[in-house]
Amino acid sequence: MWLGTQRANAAGNLEIGGCDVTRLAAEFGTPLYVVDEALIRSNCREFSAAFAARYPSVVVCYAGKAFLTLAMARIVAQEGLSIDVASLGELYTAVRAGFPRKRINLHGNNKSREELEMAVSIGIGHVIVDNFLEIEMLQAVVREQHKSMNVLVRCTPGVDPHTHKFISTGQADTKFGFNIKDGSAIEAVRRLLASDGVVFDGLHCHVGSQLLDTQAHEGAVDALVGLMAEIERRFGQSCKMLNIGGGLGVRYTEDQRPPSYDEFAEVVTSRLKSALDRAGLKYPTLAQEPGRALVGEAGTTLYTVGSIKTVPITEAPGHRTYVSVDGGMSDNPRPQLYDAVYQVIVANRATEKHDQIVSIAGKHCETDVLIWNVAAAAMKTGDILAVQTTGAYNHGMASNYNRFLRPAVVLVNDGAADLVVERETLRDLLRKERVPQRLRAGGQRRSRSLSAK
Ligand code: LLP
């Protein structure tokens, strides 16, 4: 049985961050996202240290899309990392958390003028430019605000990362970034070098996510160093920064073996140094954007077990047991979207043998099965079920489907538990809704006409 980064306490209950999770469930209710602060902090330190030990200048920029709240932003800031944001909302969250502005970088394949205006007015570190329209918009915004902005050029290195197609982004056929092979990337650099106020600082790529080997990153490093050499040759311009994005995978199941931080750092830095040396280029700052690798295994979702039923099936073993829990695709859409697979622990009997095969069913009105055929201890109604490795892309991708209330997030550390996101209430669900007068009892007033007549 696999407890991942967690342990069982003397009572035989699952413990995370020194907190008995059955107590967390009782106090905060379920479904509940539990986030292990000490693990996030040590991940931030160890990831940075693995690269700093092997390369002269390193920036680690947490990819906020994986999990972002005010508290999370503060942890990342305290650990000295930078942060990457990909929307107005993520930018706003980082700023309101007091994140040092020069350590914020803005991403997006279709940034709005509003996003660029906010980025320039507060003076963030870098905008990662993604297309020609954005370059023009950014030039206009810096002119208007009499400011400047440092940028990296996002490139598609043309490598296939062999991960789920929805999270592959390094191949040439993608909505993201400037294609290297067709000359778009070099043209973007040319335009930036000719422009005032928008300052070219280097290159960026992100090849894909949940990668369990280093092949795609190696290919990307080669492609980007090739482009750096061309920029030097054509324009006599060196790149100050090379950002190779995120993508390092985590363990969702016991059999997955992503490279360790050290293994990953060793491959990336040695590949980069030898490519730079061969091309005779100065070493740029190496920037990265890990998201999942820093928070994935630090998150666990707790559910309460409800109905359990066994049905006959035609294939072996001749029956299937559905264990229904009080959440589902609204708090974790990843199984439906990416065929993601998870492991579980019965939290109130964490040391018991996993001698049953069950399917964990969500409670949404469709085939909402969180995990098919997973090994678990025997379960009964009222048990607390822990689904592991839900720290990345769960809270951030949660929805109100079926008008479910989004769960609370509790941050645990050294035996203390702090609520960092409250559970939504029924009131929250209706907070933004309005009923037109004509739909109210006895209402006569006509609605505002928006027709062209
Ligand atoms: N940098 C950029 C530009 C990105 O687009 C991403 C993720 C990252 C960094 C961080 O990647 P990570 O280290 O977390 O792999 N919702 C999907 C994942 C989408 C990833 C999108 N971009 C999922 O649940 O698997």
Side-chain angles (χ1 to χ4, degrees):
M1 185 187 45
W2 184 54
L3 289 183
T5 57
Q6 304 157 3
R7 62 182 290 268
N9 64 15
N13 294 339
L14 186 67
E15 186 177 289
I16 306 174
C19 296
D20 183 321
V21 306
T22 63
R23 292 216 181 153
L24 297 177
E27 185 176 343
F28 299 103
T30 57
L32 181 68
Y33 298 116
V34 180
V35 176
D36 182 344
E37 180 180 347
L39 184 57
I40 293 176
R41 288 188 185 277
S42 63
N43 286 347
C44 291
R45 285 175 203 176
E46 284 166 22
F47 191 98
S48 305
F51 280 88
R54 295 172 169 90
Y55 193 83
S57 172
V58 174
V59 169
V60 180
C61 183
Y62 169 64
K65 68 201 74 180
F67 172 64
L68 188 60
T69 66
L70 293 171
M72 179 64 192
R74 295 190 79 94
I75 293 171
V76 174
Q78 285 168 7
E79 290 304 327
L81 273 58
S82 297
I83 196 161
D84 114 33
V85 296
S87 69
L88 199 64
E90 289 182 2
L91 177 55
Y92 179 71
T93 306
V95 171
R96 289 301 300 263
F99 208 96
R101 296 174 176 199
K102 285 289 169 217
R103 281 163 38 202
I104 302 177
N105 302 319
L106 176 66
H107 272 284
N109 68 299
N110 189 24
K111 298 182 192 70
S112 65
R113 179 132 184 153
E114 198 184 359
E115 286 165 336
L116 294 174
E117 281 169 358
M118 190 193 270
V120 172
S121 74
I122 66 176
I124 68 166
H126 283 100
V127 169
I128 291 60
V129 293
D130 213 276
N131 56 66
F132 291 113
L133 173 68
E134 182 188 333
I135 293 178
E136 282 169 28
M137 263 202 293
L138 188 56
Q139 285 167 334
V141 171
V142 295
R143 225 176 294 126
E144 261 167 39
Q145 296 193 16
H146 307 289
K147 294 218 169 110
S148 69
M149 177 54 67
N150 292 341
V151 301
L152 301 181
V153 173
R154 177 162 180 169
C155 307
T156 47
V159 296
D160 180 356
H162 304 295
T163 185
H164 192 283
K165 68 175 188 311
F166 293 175
I167 47 178
S168 296
T169 45
Q171 69 281 18
D173 180 3
T174 170
K175 67 174 181 173
F176 293 105
F178 295 94
N179 195 300
I180 296 182
K181 290 209 182 83
D182 77 357
S184 304
I186 199 86
E187 173 59 17
V189 175
R190 191 189 64 77
R191 290 191 199 177
L192 289 168
L193 291 175
S195 105
D196 292 329
V198 181
V199 183
F200 171 75
D201 246 2
L203 303 176
H204 172 282
C205 72
H206 169 75
V207 287
S209 199
Q210 183 51 15
L211 306 186
L212 296 173
D213 64 51
T214 52
Q215 272 177 30
H217 285 100
E218 292 172 71
V221 162
D222 290 347
L224 288 188
V225 172
L227 182 58
M228 282 174 65
E230 192 179 345
I231 293 168
E232 183 89 49
R233 214 171 34 245
R234 287 225 201 164
F235 312 120
Q237 174 74 38
S238 60
C239 292
K240 282 202 214 123
M241 182 173 277
L242 182 63
N243 185 327
I244 61 163
L248 179 62
V250 297
R251 286 220 296 186
Y252 285 96
T253 57
E254 197 175 354
D255 54 322
Q256 288 178 326
R257 288 273 174 273
S260 67
Y261 296 163
D262 277 313
E263 286 162 352
F264 182 60
E266 183 57 37
V267 172
V268 167
T269 56
S270 53
R271 185 80 169 216
L272 176 59
K273 287 188 281 192
S274 56
L276 291 167
D277 291 344
R278 261 197 323 273
L281 294 171
K282 278 203 294 252
Y283 285 13
T285 293
L286 170 60
Q288 314 201 47
E289 299 167 337
R292 190 187 321 258
L294 300 184
V295 293
E297 294 183 36
T300 305
T301 307
L302 304 182
Y303 300 98
T304 302
V305 173
S307 142
I308 301 178
K309 77 163 192 176
T310 300
V311 297
I313 55 171
T314 46
E315 63 276 24
H319 64 270
R320 182 168 355 260
T321 298
Y322 286 98
V323 172
S324 290
V325 294
D326 53 352
M329 59 190 285
S330 56
D331 60 75
N332 184 359
R334 301 193 66 259
Q336 306 279 344
L337 277 173
Y338 317 115
D339 301 316
V341 176
Y342 291 85
Q343 282 187 200
V344 299
I345 299 174
V346 181
N348 47 312
R349 287 193 304 284
T351 55
E352 264 180 33
K353 266 222 188 80
H354 284 191
D355 55 3
Q356 316 272 313
I357 298 292
V358 296
S359 293
I360 309 298
K363 61 181 267 165
H364 288 276
C365 296
E366 56 181 280
T367 309
D368 167 26
V369 171
L370 278 174
I371 320 170
W372 290 102
N373 304 330
V374 65
M379 270 184 260
K380 53 183 194 311
T381 302
D383 280 341
I384 301 298
L385 188 74
V387 174
Q388 294 163 288
T389 317
T390 58
Y393 305 109
N394 271 235
H395 168 263
M397 292 178 75
S399 75
N400 291 119
Y401 180 39
N402 287 143
R403 302 231 131 186
F404 275 38
L405 305 175
R406 272 177 290 205
V409 182
V410 70
L411 188 68
V412 291
N413 193 5
D414 205 14
D418 291 294
L419 195 60
V420 293
V421 181
E422 286 178 23
R423 182 178 307 284
E424 279 179 336
T425 62
L426 291 171
R427 267 190 109 118
D428 289 333
L429 278 185
L430 302 187
R431 210 155 45 92
K432 293 290 182 196
E433 298 202 11
R434 301 289 180 268
V435 178
Q437 189 63 39
R438 66 194 159 78
L439 298 183
R440 295 185 192 193
Q444 294 296 325
R445 208 163 59 84
R446 296 251 327 189
S447 299
R448 200 155 55 99
S449 172
L450 288 180
S451 71
K453 296 186 282 169

